[in-house]
Amino acid sequence: MHTLYLASQSYSRHMLLRQAGISFETIEHEADEHVHDWNASLYDIVRELAASKMEHVQLPDHDGDVFYVLTADTLSVDQHGNKHGKPVDYTDAVEKIQALRDGSTVSTGFCVRKYARANGQWTVQDEHSGVVSAETRFYVPDNWIDAYLMHQPHALSANGAIAIEGYGSQFLQRVHGSYTTIVGLPLFEVRTALE
């Protein structure tokens, strides 16, 4: 079995892969996630960010190995057309929760590359990428926000401060589309790409 390297520190992405029985190791990337055109479509932004992360991964140094690298990015757009990423602090997280609770579209872009290394040179042998979107209504009433963020501290580093799994599941009113896309990684499409 070849190694899968995940270029993400996301709690939710780690959780999804572990629950699916997909073993992985974490690597870093040096992409600037804040450099993108916010006027572009949600689809284009997450696709470009996933691709940019792939171009900036810190690949391991193992000659003779064949391995896979996975990158991803998730963003939301609220009912007023405003785009949301990770909150910058607690206050921003509260504002995002309030802005997104009337309903949002969530898009996750991903990229999977198959690499080989020989004689100190990297070779890309295959690549698959995609964007998967879903609609959701995640409604956390004002009087529950503090408790939600206390029980879901990883929401402070999640797209739109949305963490629909675990404690957060009680605030999930509806999902139309891929549940795992909202969590942060479209597992069906990623598994297919890896196959």
Side-chain angles (χ1 to χ4, degrees):
M1 177 179 286
H2 299 304
T3 302
L4 172 65
Y5 290 101
L6 173 66
S8 174
Q9 299 298 322
S10 164
Y11 168 91
S12 298
R13 291 186 186 121
H14 290 200
M15 177 198 68
L16 285 170
L17 289 172
R18 287 190 185 107
Q19 288 178 344
I22 301 173
S23 61
F24 66 95
E25 295 180 29
T26 304
I27 59 173
E28 300 289 332
H29 70 80
E30 297 177 344
D32 186 347
E33 298 182 50
H34 300 97
V35 178
H36 54 267
D37 179 6
W38 279 101
N39 293 317
S41 69
L42 201 61
Y43 179 98
D44 286 339
I45 295 173
V46 296
R47 180 179 53 81
E48 290 169 12
L49 284 171
S52 175
K53 289 177 182 180
M54 184 62 76
E55 296 305 324
H56 291 88
V57 293
Q58 297 178 2
L59 297 172
D61 187 13
H62 304 301
D63 272 3
D65 281 359
V66 172
F67 59 87
Y68 301 87
V69 176
L70 170 61
T71 61
D73 199 88
T74 305
L75 294 173
S76 297
V77 61
D78 64 30
Q79 294 295 304
H80 302 288
N82 301 310
K83 298 179 182 79
H84 300 270
K86 298 173 186 171
V88 297
D89 55 27
Y90 195 93
T91 300
D92 189 38
V94 172
E95 291 173 358
K96 289 182 184 309
I97 290 166
Q98 292 171 333
L100 292 166
R101 65 185 173 194
D102 287 333
S104 63
T105 299
V106 181
S107 293
T108 297
F110 72 92
C111 186
V112 176
R113 270 191 189 167
K114 180 180 180 181
Y115 281 96
R117 181 175 171 89
N119 303 317
Q121 299 294 319
W122 297 109
T123 302
V124 177
Q125 296 189 325
D126 200 2
E127 179 176 321
H128 295 276
S129 61
V131 175
V132 180
S133 298
E135 295 177 5
T136 186
R137 186 166 193 238
F138 186 68
Y139 192 98
V140 184
D142 287 344
N143 61 320
W144 280 88
I145 291 177
D146 288 339
Y148 160 71
L149 290 172
M150 181 182 72
H151 285 89
Q152 298 281 77
H154 62 278
L156 292 169
S157 59
N159 159 65
I162 294 174
I164 63 175
E165 66 279 8
Y167 186 86
S169 62
Q170 64 188 301
F171 305 109
L172 179 62
Q173 184 177 14
R174 67 173 180 265
V175 172
H176 183 71
S178 169
Y179 175 90
T180 59
T181 288
I182 298 167
V183 178
L185 197 62
L187 277 181
F188 181 89
E189 288 79 6
V190 167
R191 178 190 55 79
T192 302
L194 287 169
E195 288 182 336

